Amino acid sequence: IQLRLEVAPGLPDVRADRRRLARVLHLLLERAAARAPEGSAVWVFAHAEPPCLAFGVADEGAVPSTADAFDPRASVAHERRLESGLALPLARVVARAHGGDAELRREGGAVACVLRLPA
């Protein structure tokens, strides 16, 4: 798979726990790499969505059920791996702990887990 980085210039600052956010991004990348079809791409991105900073990981794997994606039990059962199964639920918990949220978005042929944190 190909890894792409798309970071917009002039991003706003956020007050955040760098260690926890790095762990979430690591888990999201592992999940995306495991799901992405051979020859496809995985994107790590960050851009402003005023009044928030939006960032996350996108891949071209199968679209998960958005109803169960953030439920820890359903997500682990679907992913069949503890670490990648906890990526989405943990992303939401960490984003909400920072006053933001996490969601799944379909963008073109990719599915993105987007964290939005107040800037």
Side-chain angles (χ1 to χ4, degrees):
I1 60 173
Q2 183 181 56
L3 179 61
R4 296 182 184 163
L5 180 62
E6 298 175 0
V7 178
L11 294 175
D13 292 333
V14 296
R15 294 182 61 95
D17 183 329
R18 182 180 301 193
R19 186 179 58 82
R20 286 206 169 103
L21 291 178
R23 181 68 179 143
V24 166
L25 283 174
H26 182 254
L27 288 173
L28 290 173
L29 274 169
E30 282 184 350
R31 177 182 177 274
R35 294 168 27 85
E38 188 174 325
S40 68
V42 169
W43 295 267
V44 177
F45 59 87
H47 57 267
E49 287 184 9
C52 295
L53 170 67
F55 62 96
V57 176
D59 66 74
E60 296 173 342
V63 180
S65 165
T66 55
D68 295 336
F70 293 99
D71 177 312
R73 287 189 180 119
S75 186
V76 169
H78 176 74
E79 298 290 336
R80 297 180 186 214
R81 291 187 57 203
L82 181 62
E83 295 85 9
S84 59
L86 290 177
L88 295 177
L90 182 61
R92 178 165 277 171
V93 167
V94 170
R96 286 181 174 173
H98 285 84
D101 207 352
E103 65 182 353
L104 287 181
R105 292 185 193 166
R106 184 139 177 96
E107 298 186 10
V111 176
C113 177
V114 182
L115 285 79
R116 297 181 76 237
L117 301 183

